Amino acid sequence: MKDEITRDERVANLKGMGCSRKRVEDARFTQGKGNYVDDIKLPGMLHGDFVRSPYAHARVKSINIDAAMALPGVVAVLTAKDLEPLNLHWMPTLAGDKQMVLADGKVLFQGQEVAFVVANDRYIAADAVELVEVDYEELEVIVDPFKSLQSDVVLREDLVAEDGSIPNGAHGPRKHPNHIFTWEAGEEEATNQVIDNAEVVATEEMYYHRTHPCPLETCGSVASMDKVNGKLTLWGTFQAPHVVRTVASLLSGIEEHNIRVVSPDIGGGFGNKVGVYPGYVCSIVASIVTGVPVKWVEDRMENLMSTAFARDYWMKGKISATKEGKITGLHCHVTADHGAFDACADPTKFPAGFMNICTGSYDIPVAYLGVDGVYTNKAPGGVSYRCSFRVTEAVYFIERMIEVLAIELNMDPAELRSINFIKKEQFPYTAALGWEYDSGDYQTAWDKALLAVDYKGLRAEQAERVEAFKRGETRKVMGIGLSFFTEIVGAGPVKNCDILGMGMFDSCEIRIHPTGSAVARLGTISQGQGHATTFAQILATEIGLSAESITIEEGDTDTAPYGLGTYGSRSTPVAGAAAAMAGRKIRAKAQMIAAYLLEVHDNDVEFDVDRFVVKGSPEQFKTMKEIAYAAYNQAIPGLEPGLEAVSYYDPPNMTYPFGAYVCVMDIDVDTGVPEIRRFYALDDCGTRINPMVIEGQIHGGLTEALAVALGQEIAYDDMGNVKTATLMDFFLPTAWEVPNYETDFTVTPSPHHPIGAKGVGESPHVGGVPCFSNAVQDAFRPFGNRHTNMPHDHWRIWQTANNLGMHD
Ligand code: CDP
């Protein structure tokens, strides 16, 4: 049989991997057809709202709900006393701690949930919140983790034994009632020895401030308990719906098959929607109590004040080198402010996430990391805001240490990086703090980046600008921000990584219909990353059916196979691999069907784009569409009918995407306003599935990096008041602040991933934050600056200039 179209046309029709296919989900999103939690409206549905604590630390002496209950339309007001008989007044956190669902005796941060009002509509619920009378007795507030470790004030009285002793926490011994854990990696003694005897040592302290993922859609849930069939349905803003189902079952005692958890469209997550929040629990309890569906959706202030924060790491570093700039050792200590409850969303064995990637992209022979987690009167959380677990902190740390070492050595920071890169031939590379990097070619990426921006030319221009400034001819200084990062994404493997005991694999189930179209379901959930577009592309290439005829479904636990969800750029490394593996199972069966239809041996046919052909005889073939039909309408000896496959993929290792970024910035020293003249971002995420989606991910991640580096902050005053709880104060960049980004790439496939792909969604954030920050710091380096803390808002930049005497 002769084909009417060429092979190239067949490849193009497939819209498989490597194609910049337009995002299929956007037609819905751009035309108002998205279906978010707040769009869910059920008959008889009630609405919940929280009474929240105005105090950061106080004893709750009494709660009077009478006036609230008397308001027409109010159905119930829940307090910890109502939840206690159900054992739901506290809940487990992802970090092995427990957290109050509703205030039990005291409150520990401003905005903490105290009572849950349920009413006929949202407005009545909000009015009734004002009528709940809570009698508080204020207690001393601690917002500084260092003071917390010295203080006599015990924040978590529940974690001190009656005899005053301090029981171990989930991660071992605790050295103070406000201490959570000490976590260590590497060799401290050997590292200290190297540093003590080194030719050059640079030390620095830096604070990676508290910030917040602030997705446009806040968190919310709708719980509907059907008392007739005993089934609970829960719609919510969940980045890991299956884990929520398991937790809901364990907490409520409802058998897991009787719980259906649905993540509908999610308006951005960035880590904020990984944890379990009191609102979810209260909506479930309220629905069980009232027998009707109950919706809870938080507002912006509630989201910023009470849901999972990110960062808040106080980092202290020492780095040693030879006079020629070869790094010999690295020491890092972190004081980690976890707020009132340890609710960090990290794999169980890693209470400080993957902070031990802090040796970065460099071949450092010996290193040590110690992290102390501390309780304070701040909101709980500690999520990976657009990064894999604590990787942004790690990369910020090492990229600042490199800059400080360059100052110490009086060396160009680009050259210092080149001297110390892990070399291409060293991969797979085992770092001093334990990780095995899968693949990389850092020098090639670095050279490409420096050439693209004419780095030498930029440095010459900067030197001229410094002279012009000193002569009084300009009030603008110029900074060149550099960063080279290595990410670590794609948790599992199961043997290392779990969330609440659930191993971190992921899954894909494919069902091919007789007419050659398909539905594939995965254990992940897109929050804007375009999974419906890109996972179909992986499958198109693997099974030879056009991406246009493959529907991707995620987020409904009644239909999707069990998976651990989407965060930490794990979707492509893990679920993407599961998709490829399931696709290969389909192909293996299709090969047998094709061989039967073509009347040859299985080994005599081979896959070619969208068909199986007889080897050496390309005009003899069966297309995947024909094979799909045959799978359902022919009795094939030795084969079951149908064409379906499922894969649960446990990755052998994580993937290590990397990148080289350069930012050129002009700063007005009198106003403190930075102008980003140029931002160049080279990313290597291995095999690229959809270049256009990747570019979108990079633009988004860089914009969030800009936000964090240049202004975004959750700031507290000494009383524990949140000073940045609205978008008037919390910086969310708009098109006005965002520069043009130049994107570029190299391709170094992952050797262990079935299609060689690494994650990408978080790389631009991880690499972007130090790049923006380094640009600010570099502008002031010729005037004596060594390090200033983020966020570099206009006021702080002005202060830096002022401290350096540039306003004299
Ligand atoms: O887990 P999450 O979806 O947030 O992150 P990811 O795995 O990095 O994927 C983000 C988006 O970029 C998805 O649509 C991926 O399919 C796409 N991507 C790609 O096209 N090629 C890659 N090598 C990695 C991701």
Side-chain angles (χ1 to χ4, degrees):
M1 201 167 104
K2 262 265 174 251
D3 227 346
E4 276 135 35
I5 59 171
T6 65
R7 189 173 187 279
D8 285 350
E9 285 167 333
R10 290 195 280 122
V11 171
N13 285 346
L14 216 54
K15 300 200 174 168
M17 281 194 281
C19 152
S20 282
R21 181 184 184 217
K22 280 192 181 163
R23 286 170 38 118
V24 292
E25 43 277 87
D26 287 355
R28 278 193 314 114
F29 293 153
T30 55
Q31 294 178 54
K33 298 286 182 197
N35 182 36
Y36 299 89
V37 170
D38 206 25
D39 292 321
I40 292 163
K41 295 181 174 70
L42 302 175
M45 189 171 76
L46 301 174
H47 298 260
D49 195 6
F50 279 110
V51 176
R52 292 179 181 274
S53 170
Y55 299 110
H57 196 196
R59 221 164 277 294
V60 178
K61 291 167 71 182
S62 65
I63 303 175
N64 186 342
I65 64 168
D66 296 348
M69 285 300 290
L71 187 73
V74 172
V75 178
V77 179
L78 302 177
T79 65
K81 278 205 178 81
D82 303 302
L83 302 186
E84 195 172 351
L86 306 166
N87 204 19
L88 285 175
H89 53 321
W90 288 73
M91 61 182 184
T93 69
L94 296 179
D97 195 0
K98 54 185 182 149
Q99 175 177 349
M100 290 176 209
V101 174
L102 292 172
D104 184 22
K106 71 190 281 199
V107 285
L108 286 152
F109 64 94
Q110 187 181 54
Q112 187 176 334
E113 300 79 2
V114 175
F116 190 66
V117 175
V118 185
N120 287 338
D121 71 39
R122 183 74 174 79
Y123 302 96
I124 296 173
D127 287 347
V129 161
E130 301 297 322
L131 298 174
V132 175
E133 292 159 20
V134 187
D135 188 9
Y136 298 98
E137 177 194 325
E138 284 183 70
L139 299 170
E140 189 180 324
V141 172
I142 308 177
V143 289
D144 175 332
F146 298 99
K147 286 187 186 154
S148 186
L149 288 180
Q150 304 296 326
S151 177
D152 292 337
V153 178
V154 175
L155 299 180
R156 292 289 301 277
E157 288 154 357
D158 58 298
L159 297 181
V160 177
E162 274 176 18
D163 64 1
S165 62
I166 307 165
N168 281 0
H171 308 289
R174 296 161 56 226
K175 41 192 180 202
H176 182 278
N178 298 336
H179 179 243
I180 309 171
F181 63 82
T182 299
W183 188 70
E184 294 177 291
E187 299 167 59
E188 184 162 33
E189 226 180 279
T191 305
N192 284 341
Q193 235 173 35
V194 167
I195 292 174
D196 289 346
N197 298 310
E199 290 175 352
V200 182
V201 178
T203 58
E204 194 51 73
E205 289 182 28
M206 59 193 89
Y207 177 44
Y208 198 142
H209 58 291
R210 179 175 273 236
T211 182
H212 192 284
C214 192
L216 282 187
E217 179 205 28
T218 59
C219 298
S221 58
V222 176
S224 178
M225 182 72 211
D226 183 334
K227 286 196 170 163
V228 176
N229 63 18
K231 189 146 184 159
L232 170 70
T233 307
L234 184 64
W235 293 264
T237 45
F238 308 133
Q239 288 184 234
H242 282 96
V243 179
V244 170
R245 186 184 70 186
T246 303
V247 174
S249 172
L250 292 172
L251 284 179
S252 67
I254 301 171
E255 281 195 85
E256 202 163 346
H257 71 282
N258 276 332
I259 301 178
R260 177 183 173 209
V261 175
V262 184
S263 294
D265 288 327
I266 296 184
F270 316 115
N272 186 234
K273 292 166 180 169
V274 174
V276 175
Y277 295 123
Y280 303 157
V281 179
C282 288
S283 63
I284 295 173
V285 175
S287 178
I288 293 173
V289 170
T290 60
V292 288
V294 175
K295 178 188 275 186
W296 164 73
V297 176
E298 65 186 6
D299 65 24
R300 176 63 55 199
M301 282 181 76
E302 292 179 295
N303 179 255
L304 286 171
M305 283 172 90
S306 69
T307 61
F309 74 92
R311 329 294 193 231
D312 219 341
Y313 258 30
W314 298 83
M315 304 184 283
K316 213 172 166 175
K318 270 191 237 167
I319 190 164
S320 60
T322 63
K323 277 191 226 132
E324 292 74 37
K326 179 75 195 80
I327 300 172
T328 52
L330 179 74
H331 189 288
C332 175
H333 183 266
V334 180
T335 302
D337 185 341
H338 285 217
F341 306 97
D342 186 11
C344 286
D346 292 317
T348 306
K349 287 184 196 156
F350 297 94
F354 301 158
M355 181 66 197
N356 56 333
I357 187 93
C358 67
T359 50
S361 315
Y362 311 105
D363 185 15
I364 302 181
V366 63
Y368 167 79
L369 166 74
V371 183
D372 280 296
V374 185
Y375 291 120
T376 58
N377 289 121
K378 296 181 183 173
V383 293
S384 325
Y385 165 12
R386 203 162 185 149
C387 69
S388 197
F389 316 100
R390 300 286 186 184
V391 175
T392 182
E393 288 91 326
V395 171
Y396 182 72
F397 170 78
I398 184 66
E399 288 305 287
R400 284 302 304 141
M401 290 309 294
I402 289 282
E403 294 283 320
V404 171
L405 180 62
I407 294 173
E408 206 70 51
L409 288 160
N410 198 19
M411 187 181 263
D412 183 289
E415 192 193 337
L416 180 58
R417 286 177 172 86
S418 284
I419 292 173
N420 289 288
F421 280 140
I422 300 162
K423 293 186 179 44
K424 189 179 170 185
E425 54 278 10
Q426 285 178 278
F427 291 92
Y429 171 84
T430 304
L433 295 177
W435 297 115
E436 188 188 286
Y437 295 24
D438 60 349
S439 63
D441 183 357
Y442 298 167
Q443 193 65 54
T444 301
W446 196 228
D447 292 344
K448 193 173 180 188
L450 298 185
L451 191 68
V453 298
D454 181 19
Y455 181 66
K456 276 194 183 140
L458 286 173
R459 282 288 174 211
E461 187 190 345
Q462 187 190 37
E464 277 168 30
R465 183 76 72 83
V466 171
E467 292 312 314
F469 184 90
K470 286 181 179 163
R471 290 194 301 267
E473 290 165 14
T474 178
R475 296 297 290 163
K476 284 190 179 174
V477 289
M478 174 183 164
I480 305 163
L482 303 176
S483 82
F484 196 99
F485 66 92
T486 299
E487 255 266 68
I488 167 170
V489 299
V494 169
K495 66 175 187 296
N496 283 340
C497 297
D498 71 279
I499 293 251
L500 286 178
M502 307 307 301
M504 293 180 77
F505 58 87
D506 230 290
S507 57
C508 175
E509 181 192 280
I510 311 171
R511 207 169 280 182
I512 313 280
H513 307 315
T515 50
S517 68
V519 58
R521 301 186 172 106
L522 297 102
T524 41
I525 174 73
S526 188
Q527 305 126 45
Q529 297 94 326
H531 291 178
T533 307
T534 53
F535 284 146
Q537 291 181 251
I538 297 177
L539 288 171
T541 299
E542 290 294 340
I543 61 181
L545 292 172
S546 168
E548 304 292 343
S549 56
I550 303 171
T551 297
I552 300 294
E553 287 183 6
E554 299 176 306
D556 184 339
T557 59
D558 264 11
T559 53
Y562 204 105
L564 272 284
T566 293
Y567 39 86
S569 286
R570 65 184 299 281
S571 302
T572 304
V574 194
M581 298 308 274
R584 286 172 196 183
K585 288 184 188 175
I586 296 275
R587 215 160 78 185
K589 184 167 180 185
Q591 179 166 1
M592 292 190 264
I593 298 172
Y596 171 79
L597 296 175
L598 292 163
E599 297 180 10
V600 293
H601 189 271
D602 291 356
N603 293 337
D604 293 334
V605 291
E606 64 188 355
F607 187 67
D608 181 46
V609 185
D610 56 355
R611 62 195 55 191
F612 276 94
V613 299
V614 175
K615 284 181 189 166
S617 176
E619 68 286 355
Q620 278 186 282
F621 64 83
K622 288 288 169 194
T623 64
M624 280 303 295
K625 271 188 157 222
E626 290 170 314
I627 294 167
Y629 195 63
Y632 289 90
N633 84 340
Q634 298 239 1
I636 302 173
L639 283 186
E640 288 179 1
L643 199 50
E644 297 186 8
V646 58
S647 167
Y648 285 81
Y649 186 80
D650 178 11
N653 189 4
M654 276 178 267
T655 67
Y656 295 75
F658 58 92
Y661 292 178
V662 184
C663 172
V664 186
M665 196 182 265
D666 296 300
I667 297 177
D668 184 325
V669 297
D670 295 321
T671 59
V673 175
E675 255 172 60
I676 298 153
R677 200 200 302 174
R678 199 164 175 193
F679 199 104
Y680 169 91
L682 178 149
D683 273 90
D684 191 319
C685 56
T687 305
R688 291 152 56 87
I689 300 158
N690 183 324
M692 189 176 65
V693 167
I694 291 173
E695 196 177 3
Q697 292 288 304
I698 290 167
H699 285 196
L702 289 176
T703 300
E704 285 184 308
L706 176 147
V708 168
L710 300 184
Q712 197 171 80
E713 179 183 20
I714 295 287
Y716 288 82
D717 68 13
D718 288 346
M719 305 283 289
N721 295 307
V722 185
K723 296 197 288 183
T724 51
T726 75
L727 295 186
M728 290 291 286
D729 305 300
F730 186 83
F731 173 46
L732 213 57
T734 62
W736 180 254
E737 290 92 0
V738 174
N740 279 327
Y741 300 119
E742 298 162 55
T743 56
D744 204 345
F745 64 96
T746 53
V747 176
T748 313
S750 167
H752 60 78
H753 188 280
I755 56 168
K758 303 179 178 185
V760 77
E762 295 165 344
S763 296
H765 190 76
V766 166
V769 174
C771 191
F772 284 112
S773 177
N774 281 346
V776 175
Q777 320 247 16
D778 183 74
F780 293 106
R781 171 178 162 167
F783 302 92
N785 177 58
R786 188 181 162 96
H787 174 80
T788 55
N789 280 329
M790 296 188 293
H792 306 293
D793 55 20
H794 302 173
W795 164 235
R796 287 185 175 99
I797 292 179
W798 184 91
Q799 271 184 319
T800 302
N802 203 46
N803 293 342
L804 294 170
M806 296 171 83
H807 296 144
D808 298 342

